[in-house]
Amino acid sequence: VNGGRRATVVGTGLIGGSIALALRANGWHVSGVDDDADRLTRALDLGVVDAPGPDPDSAITFVATPVGAVPAAARRALETTTGAVTDVGSVKAAVVAAVDHPRFVGGHPMAGSELEGLDGADAAMFTGAVWVLTPVPGTDDDAFSLTRSVVRDFGAEVVVIPPDRHDRLVAVVSHVPHLTAATLMGIADQRSDEHAALLRLAAGGFRDMTRIAAGHPGIWPDICAENREAIVEVLDELVERLSRTRDLVAAADRAHLLEVLTQARRARLNLPGRFSRPDELAELRVPVFDRPGEIATICTLATELGVSILDIEVAHSAEGDRGVLVLLVEKDLAERLRGGLMAGGYRPVLQALT
Amino acid sequence: VNGGRRATVVGTGLIGGSIALALRANGWHVSGVDDDADRLTRALDLGVVDAPGPDPDSAITFVATPVGAVPAAARRALETTTGAVTDVGSVKAAVVAAVDHPRFVGGHPMAGSELEGLDGADAAMFTGAVWVLTPVPGTDDDAFSLTRSVVRDFGAEVVVIPPDRHDRLVAVVSHVPHLTAATLMGIADQRSDEHAALLRLAAGGFRDMTRIAAGHPGIWPDICAENREAIVEVLDELVERLSRTRDLVAAADRAHLLEVLTQARRARLNLPGRFSRPDELAELRVPVFDRPGEIATICTLATELGVSILDIEVAHSAEGDRGVLVLLVEKDLAERLRGGLMAGGYRPVLQALT
């Protein structure tokens, strides 16, 4: 790895283009790679990337191809550079297992746009967005730290969770909602053939609910295939719950309907904002031996305790093989994680941020 | 009915308050009625209504109570005034049947706000919104015409359909989407107990999809009870389609998944805007005898032909018992409606708007 800020972006579509622009805005020299030569030329012409790549001196390579193409592209990047390699795929366990390399850090920015391709690319796309990173026990600390730091510089909020956990969570908050929006839209569409007035009656709520169904469908068959198990499980639960709701409506069971809807409302109003306020956060500083796998071990422990790690910083010690992991967590959960870490033989120090 | 612009609004919450403000903005004197004396006092203090009511000289009374309370309130207004009475309930067939009076015109503005009560009231709430009116064979032409004209003055786009058809359509575009949003939110909420990171991963798509679940749940048990049959039918279809989607995911049937999603995307992109452009509209002028039920007859015929009536104006003839109904319809469907009307013995004249 050369000391300079040199990076490669593989796949110059909407997300890859936005990453390239965000890197360039932060002073990086960005090389672009794309199977589609026309698209790469356009990215060069528009100044989205500086040069055609790959750049063998890249300190970091972002693989922003469709999820099915990530493993091959990531392996190529790992062979041609000595830097960190990360991706942006919507499914993580299969990708991380397929690449299986210490310098590969699975990633997933929870951002997007209704626009498509380079036209929607925007250096500010990740400002305030959650960017998931999924290190595993073999992950190299330096590769992780660099990826984290670059992504933070984009203005993203980092959340660190194991790959399989990520996949189960996005099935709930992204994949099944998308399939449901498409299904609702399908029902409305079919009935609009008989009832011409139907779609005129679609007020803001319906428009909001089905907006994601307008997204490009091309990425979804891959996502559904790669995250099949988790999606099927959540769809089964959705079908079961909707059937129960159907029975409540059929029975005109007002009391239980009110309960279901009140609970949902409370949950929706409590949906956390993108950023926590500093006074809701706490830092746990955990002295560790400077060895591979510490990040993943602590991240798995936190996940098992139900504590989200909002950020991990790796502070290496100047004196050899020791370092400190700085974990950012929500204040009310910090004590729980501290207890778990102590039980695991660590000596964490807790401090509030304000 | 006195000639002055005097109106009563029963129920001074979010929608009633907005109607009162819109009426006042158009020069009406508005009396307010509310079971909740404090709320009425507040509406008076805030200048949302001019005076406590009911006003026996009201040319029009808007009943903006919860749907279960509409029939009784509408009957009271019909007894105390000689004017038109309309409502804003989300379900129409049961209400229209329960009131069963020539001067009652069922209505449903497809608008709302995330705010609640008077604080969210806004004279501009209905600008650009669809406002459904549901005349039936017994409906008085004058009551219908006045209601239509007042609502149009609010900036709303009028759509005229029979009450039972309205109920089947809103089950698709409003009631079932609401129950689905609440159900998705419920799944996410339950799992967030185990997975603290879950709700942080909720990006814009999930937020959009579940936004309506944040609305006040109090109105929904009534809506579900009153529109039970249509909601159950659509929920059954949703469950069936989601089960099919689940099987496609389980089988990793990429081709069929892509087809379902592509179809949904096309439908979402084609969702009509709130207003049609004038060059997409046509006017059908239909000479009629000036007798009760003509509006409902023509409206039912149009519905059976799959043609939305975007507006009906009743132009009375100066010479006694004849008049002209002016129907606003989409241009590509105008020929079809003209044919149907001719087959029904009418002599419609078609003209483009531009």
Side-chain angles (χ1 to χ4, degrees):
Chain A
V1 184
N2 88 353
R5 290 160 79 81
R6 301 184 69 90
T8 295
V9 173
V10 183
T12 55
L14 174 71
I15 301 291
S18 299
I19 290 170
L21 289 170
L23 283 165
R24 295 195 66 213
N26 289 332
W28 289 76
H29 179 276
V30 181
S31 297
V33 175
D34 206 304
D35 281 347
D36 179 340
D38 289 345
R39 190 156 70 163
L40 182 57
T41 304
R42 207 155 158 257
L44 285 160
D45 290 348
L46 292 172
V48 171
V49 299
D50 296 293
D55 174 358
D57 291 331
S58 291
I60 188 164
T61 298
F62 283 87
V63 177
T65 63
V67 68
V70 169
R75 277 194 298 262
R76 262 197 307 278
L78 288 160
E79 282 159 20
T80 52
T81 76
T82 57
V85 177
T86 186
D87 77 319
V88 299
S90 308
V91 186
K92 296 268 65 81
V95 167
V96 169
V99 179
D100 188 23
H101 192 288
R103 281 186 286 117
F104 180 74
V105 182
H108 180 203
M110 308 296 292
S113 161
E114 281 167 67
L115 298 170
E116 279 168 35
L118 274 178
D119 296 321
D122 178 0
M125 179 177 288
F126 311 110
T127 306
V130 165
W131 195 306
V132 178
L133 294 178
T134 62
V136 289
T139 303
D140 178 67
D141 282 357
D142 290 338
F144 174 83
S145 297
L146 178 63
T147 306
R148 169 202 162 270
S149 133
V150 172
V151 160
R152 294 261 302 182
D153 288 346
F154 294 169
E157 179 181 16
V158 171
V159 168
V160 185
I161 37 179
D164 57 336
R165 190 63 68 111
H166 163 274
D167 291 354
R168 290 205 295 278
L169 300 188
V170 290
V172 177
V173 296
S174 169
H175 304 169
V176 167
H178 190 100
L179 294 170
T180 306
T183 305
L184 281 170
M185 196 64 234
I187 291 176
D189 183 42
Q190 191 195 41
R191 296 193 174 209
S192 74
D193 290 347
E194 309 150 52
H195 309 298
L198 187 131
L199 295 179
R200 298 209 152 258
L201 267 56
F206 184 80
R207 287 165 194 274
D208 278 352
M209 266 206 86
T210 54
R211 182 163 299 122
I212 49 176
H216 202 288
I219 62 167
W220 286 98
D222 265 5
I223 291 175
C224 289
E226 301 274 358
N227 202 22
R228 174 164 36 175
E229 211 176 306
I231 292 174
V232 165
E233 191 201 317
V234 179
L235 277 174
D236 282 341
E237 182 171 353
L238 177 61
V239 163
E240 192 203 309
R241 281 187 182 233
L242 284 172
S243 301
R244 256 185 285 154
T245 300
R246 178 242 185 250
D247 293 343
L248 292 180
V249 174
D253 185 340
R254 291 165 197 246
H256 277 105
L257 279 168
L258 188 60
E259 198 179 290
V260 168
L261 294 165
T262 303
Q263 175 75 14
R265 178 185 197 226
R266 189 164 44 230
R268 182 58 180 77
L269 293 174
N270 287 335
L271 203 57
R274 303 302 175 77
F275 277 105
S276 297
R277 301 205 318 269
D279 64 349
E280 295 169 346
L281 298 176
E283 233 177 55
L284 271 169
R285 303 179 76 87
V286 192
V288 291
F289 284 101
D290 207 358
R291 64 189 172 201
E294 289 284 20
I295 291 174
T297 304
I298 286 178
C299 156
T300 301
L301 178 67
T303 303
E304 277 161 8
L305 292 169
V307 179
S308 297
I309 296 188
L310 302 179
D311 200 4
I312 301 185
E313 193 178 343
V314 189
H316 292 291
S317 158
E319 305 140 54
D321 64 350
R322 298 192 66 91
V324 173
L325 290 189
V326 185
L327 311 180
L328 191 67
V329 296
E330 275 161 282
K331 204 186 241 172
D332 6 342
L333 299 173
E335 228 2 278
R336 191 196 299 175
L337 180 56
R338 193 168 80 101
L341 288 167
M342 288 175 70
Y346 293 94
R347 309 203 162 281
V349 177
L350 174 62
Q351 68 184 71
L353 279 194
T354 49
Chain B
V1 183
N2 87 355
R5 290 161 81 81
R6 300 184 71 91
T8 295
V9 174
V10 183
T12 55
L14 175 71
I15 302 293
S18 298
I19 289 171
L21 289 169
L23 283 166
R24 295 195 65 212
N26 289 332
W28 289 76
H29 178 277
V30 180
S31 297
V33 174
D34 205 304
D35 281 346
D36 180 340
D38 289 346
R39 190 156 70 164
L40 181 57
T41 304
R42 203 150 164 262
L44 286 160
D45 290 348
L46 291 172
V48 171
V49 299
D50 295 294
D55 175 357
D57 291 331
S58 291
I60 188 164
T61 298
F62 283 88
V63 177
T65 64
V67 68
V70 169
R75 277 194 298 261
R76 261 197 307 278
L78 288 161
E79 282 158 20
T80 53
T81 75
T82 57
V85 177
T86 185
D87 77 320
V88 299
S90 308
V91 186
K92 295 270 64 79
V95 167
V96 169
V99 179
D100 188 24
H101 192 288
R103 281 186 285 118
F104 181 74
V105 182
H108 181 203
M110 307 297 292
S113 161
E114 281 168 68
L115 298 171
E116 280 168 34
L118 274 178
D119 297 322
D122 179 0
M125 180 178 287
F126 311 110
T127 306
V130 166
W131 196 306
V132 178
L133 295 178
T134 61
V136 288
T139 302
D140 179 67
D141 281 357
D142 290 339
F144 174 82
S145 295
L146 178 63
T147 306
R148 168 202 163 270
S149 135
V150 171
V151 160
R152 293 261 303 180
D153 287 346
F154 294 169
E157 180 180 16
V158 171
V159 169
V160 185
I161 37 178
D164 57 335
R165 190 64 68 110
H166 163 274
D167 291 355
R168 290 206 295 278
L169 300 187
V170 290
V172 177
V173 296
S174 169
H175 303 168
V176 167
H178 190 99
L179 293 170
T180 306
T183 305
L184 282 170
M185 196 65 234
I187 292 176
D189 184 42
Q190 190 194 42
R191 297 193 173 210
S192 74
D193 290 348
E194 309 149 52
H195 309 300
L198 186 132
L199 295 179
R200 299 209 151 259
L201 268 55
F206 184 79
R207 287 166 194 273
D208 278 352
M209 267 207 86
T210 55
R211 183 163 298 122
I212 49 174
H216 203 287
I219 62 167
W220 287 96
D222 266 6
I223 292 175
C224 289
E226 302 273 2
N227 202 22
R228 177 165 33 176
E229 210 176 307
I231 293 174
V232 165
E233 190 201 317
V234 178
L235 276 174
D236 281 341
E237 181 170 353
L238 177 61
V239 163
E240 192 203 306
R241 281 187 184 232
L242 283 173
S243 301
R244 255 184 284 153
T245 301
R246 178 242 185 250
D247 292 344
L248 292 180
V249 175
D253 185 341
R254 291 164 197 247
H256 277 105
L257 279 168
L258 188 61
E259 198 178 291
V260 168
L261 294 165
T262 303
Q263 174 76 13
R265 177 183 198 231
R266 188 163 45 227
R268 182 59 181 74
L269 293 174
N270 288 335
L271 204 56
R274 302 303 176 78
F275 279 104
S276 296
R277 301 204 318 270
D279 64 350
E280 295 169 346
L281 298 176
E283 233 177 52
L284 270 168
R285 304 178 77 86
V286 192
V288 291
F289 284 100
D290 206 358
R291 64 188 174 204
E294 289 284 21
I295 291 175
T297 305
I298 286 179
C299 156
T300 302
L301 177 68
T303 303
E304 276 162 9
L305 292 168
V307 180
S308 296
I309 297 188
L310 302 180
D311 201 3
I312 302 186
E313 192 178 344
V314 189
H316 293 291
S317 159
E319 307 140 54
D321 65 348
R322 297 192 66 92
V324 173
L325 289 189
V326 185
L327 311 179
L328 191 67
V329 296
E330 275 162 282
K331 203 186 242 172
D332 7 345
L333 299 173
E335 225 6 275
R336 191 197 300 174
L337 180 57
R338 194 168 79 101
L341 287 167
M342 289 176 71
Y346 293 94
R347 308 205 163 281
V349 177
L350 175 63
Q351 68 184 72
L353 278 194
T354 51

